Amino acid sequence: TTYLQGMSEWFLRAAMAFQHLLRSFGLYALADGQMNRAEEIARRNGEVNELAQVLHRVGEMKHVQGFIELGQQYFAESLALAQSAGNRHLECELLERLGRIEEALSLARAIGGGQFGGKAGDAW
């Protein structure tokens, strides 16, 4: 309904919220369709952080369906966007998804140190 009514912000919120639920019930075709719409809207909106988050979720969908290489492509694009948007939490998760564990760990330590008031690595 939100998509048909042109309520793009609400649609994106709903698509992101329900993606995990649809996936957990194995409703991949429905989830794919909604995430494709979300990707289209996010690209049109041009908001970098929003697009990074949507592409991350699309990559997850592709990955769980066995399209590993395609999922990795989505993760790589999402990573570049997350870095440019300064979304360090998403960047860290994507580095891990892409198998760049040392970089992810280093960033996680830096983020954790900032969150908990200690030096980088203290929270780990």
Side-chain angles (χ1 to χ4, degrees), residues 31-42:
D32 275 342
Q34 299 311 310
M35 292 311 296
N36 287 339
R37 286 178 171 174
E39 180 182 352
E40 171 191 316
I41 290 169

Side-chain angles (χ1 to χ4, degrees), residues 78-93:
S78 180
L79 174 61
L81 292 167
Q83 289 170 328
S84 71
N87 187 336
R88 293 170 36 148
H89 292 303
L90 183 57
E91 179 183 351
C92 185
E93 187 171 339

Side-chain angles (χ1 to χ4, degrees), residues 81-114:
L81 292 167
Q83 289 170 328
S84 71
N87 187 336
R88 293 170 36 148
H89 292 303
L90 183 57
E91 179 183 351
C92 185
E93 187 171 339
L94 288 159
L95 286 168
E96 185 269 331
R97 287 290 213 159
L98 290 165
R100 295 164 57 180
I101 305 303
E102 291 299 321
E103 290 174 75
L105 182 57
S106 176
L107 181 56
R109 286 181 174 143
I111 292 169

